Structure formats: structure tokens, C-alpha cells
Amino acid sequence: MRSTQARHEEYFSFLRSVSLLKDLPEEKLAKIIDCLEIDYFDKGEYIIREGEEGNTFFIIAKGEVSVTQTTEGFTEPQEIKTLRVGDYFGEKALISEDVRSANIIAKENDTQCLVVDRDNFNEMVGTYEELQAYLREYVEELSLSDERRNAV
Ligand code: WNU
């Protein structure tokens, strides 16, 4: 079995490559790693369902996911984007204190996500004004694009 040390180093360099986290101090990243869970999904599996309550933030460590949303005039949810390794999702429900606003579906077998719960997310983001401001702005933009595409 891989040592805790090796696991730590592996995640450390991965998290450093995630744009959102690149400027976080070492001890902050280390703390996140200690609290991480890894979830595995098969192709077609829902990671997040629109309208459900959610208390977690995800970072893709392996695979690809599809973001879909129910929009006016369509019977099926429409694909709005694809996210890949190093991308993240699930921040909106945490920041807006709202239900999940889109579906996230694994596009490949053995898609792996690092999962951060609400408390650790707040700890990670809350203490960094820049990070918080960046995400708040991004979430506002998401709400606007939801309106433009007539999401329901
Ligand atoms: C979009 N509209 C909505 C994405 C990921 C991270 C950032 C965009 Cl910073 P949630 C569903 C999640 C949501 C977002 C993600 O889906 N999402 C979108 C949209 O156009 N959500 N409403 N694009 S990918 C993405 C920016 O993370 O968070 O908790 O669950 O509502």
C-alpha cells in the first residue's frame, strides 16, 4: 500500500495545479488533503442532481463530467458544458445557499472526484477574500447565463 506521505505528495502537486487553489498557502492545502474524500463514478452516473440539497464541493481528479440543465422548451436537460481533470463544481449551492442548479453526470467509467464538505470548503474559501470574491462573481455570472438560456 502507498504510504500516507506519498498520497499526501501526490494530492499536493495535483491541488497546486488546480487554478483556484494555486495561491493557497501550503498549510491550507495540507489541511484540505487531510479532509478529502475520493468518490468514484461510472459512466452515466449522477454526481449532482438539479434541485437536490448539496453540501459538497468537487474537484475532478480523473475523467470527464457533463453539466446539464433543464431549460424551457426542452423535455430533456440540455448539456451546457463538459468539465475535465482539474476543473471543479458544486460551489454554487454552497455559496448561494441554494439547491443544486444543474446536473453533473460522469462521462467516463472510473471518474474520480475529490470531495470537500461544506465546513472545509468554508474554511478553504472563507479565509481568503480574493478567492471568495472570485467565486461569488463567478456564481453570479452562472445565474445570469442560467437566465439567458431560460433555465427552469
Ligand atoms: C451554469 N449554471 C449553473 C457549471 C463549475 C464551477 C464554476 C462553472 Cl466556478 P451547484 C451544479 C453545478 C454548479 C456549478 C456547475 O454545476 N455549473 C453551472 C453552470 O452555467 N451551474 N447553474 N456551469 S460548470 C462550473 C463555474 O458548479 O454548482 O452546487 O451544482 O449548483
Side-chain angles (χ1 to χ4, degrees), residues 4 54 64 96 115 148:
T4 309
E64 276 186 9
S96 338
V115 189
R148 279 196 295 270

Side-chain angles (χ1 to χ4, degrees), residues 65-69 78-83 89 102-105:
V65 307
S66 166
V67 185
T68 75
Q69 201 173 42
Q78 299 297 296
E79 181 169 74
I80 54 182
K81 61 196 86 154
T82 295
L83 304 177
F89 56 89
N103 300 297
I104 306 281
I105 307 163

Side-chain angles (χ1 to χ4, degrees), residues 8-20:
H8 213 278
E9 275 163 23
E10 199 177 307
Y11 286 126
F12 202 90
S13 59
F14 172 65
L15 289 180
R16 269 276 176 260
S17 76
V18 175
S19 59
L20 186 71

